[in-house]
């Protein structure tokens, strides 16, 4: 089984990722959106769930580390120039590295999986 993304790749969500009960914050209710569609992040780990599904631990711009499936992600260009930062409102967004990936990884279910679309 070959993964589409590798550690360090910059990705964006294709759908909203929702709390499915595995995100480690009791104040976030099941079904609540963890990551909005189009949010960028950096892959910090790649793993398997039930030896069948590739799951990516992604450190998103909103500060959350969430597990996502391949179908929930797409490649995103890394903004490195001053002009691309200006287009982003001049805000620099930090992402975690693989070294600080000790945060829990969630599966981040989509609207369809929650029966909400």
């Amino acid at each position: 089984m070959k993964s589409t993304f590798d550690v360090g790749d910059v990705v964006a969500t294709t759908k909203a990722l929702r709390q499915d009960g595995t995100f480690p914050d009791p104040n976030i209710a099941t079904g609540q959106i963890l990551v909005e569609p189009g949010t960028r992040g950096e892959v910090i780990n790649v793993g398997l769930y039930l030896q069948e599904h590739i799951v990516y631990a992604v450190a998103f711009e909103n500060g959350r580390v969430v597990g996502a499936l391949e179908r929930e992600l797409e490649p995103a260009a890394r903004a490195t120039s001053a002009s691309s930062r200006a287009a982003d409102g001049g805000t620099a967004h930090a992402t975690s590295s693989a070294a600080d990936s000790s945060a829990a990884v969630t599966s981040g279910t989509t609207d369809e999986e929650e029966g909400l679309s």
Side-chain angles (χ1 to χ4, degrees):
M1 183 175 299
K2 175 88 171 93
S3 63
T4 301
F5 306 108
D6 293 316
V7 171
D9 286 353
V10 178
V11 295
T13 57
T14 58
K15 298 184 125 192
L17 301 181
R18 296 180 176 271
Q19 166 69 298
D20 64 357
T22 61
F23 191 79
D25 186 340
N27 297 319
I28 300 177
T30 301
Q32 187 174 345
I33 293 175
L34 295 170
V35 182
E36 295 287 340
T39 302
R40 291 165 34 104
E42 180 181 346
V43 175
I44 60 171
N45 202 354
V46 180
L48 284 176
Y49 175 68
L50 298 176
Q51 303 300 316
E52 286 183 34
H53 307 283
I54 297 173
V55 179
Y56 299 92
V58 181
F60 287 101
E61 293 174 327
N62 67 2
R64 293 185 171 149
V65 176
V66 178
L69 301 173
E70 285 187 14
R71 68 176 181 262
E72 298 169 324
L73 301 172
E74 63 187 5
R78 185 182 295 265
T80 55
S81 69
S83 61
S84 61
R85 281 193 301 275
D88 189 29
T91 305
H93 297 284
T95 57
S96 300
S97 68
D100 49 327
S101 64
S102 60
V105 177
T106 68
S107 65
T109 57
T110 62
D111 293 350
E112 287 178 17
E113 292 167 330
E114 289 291 328
L116 300 173
S117 55

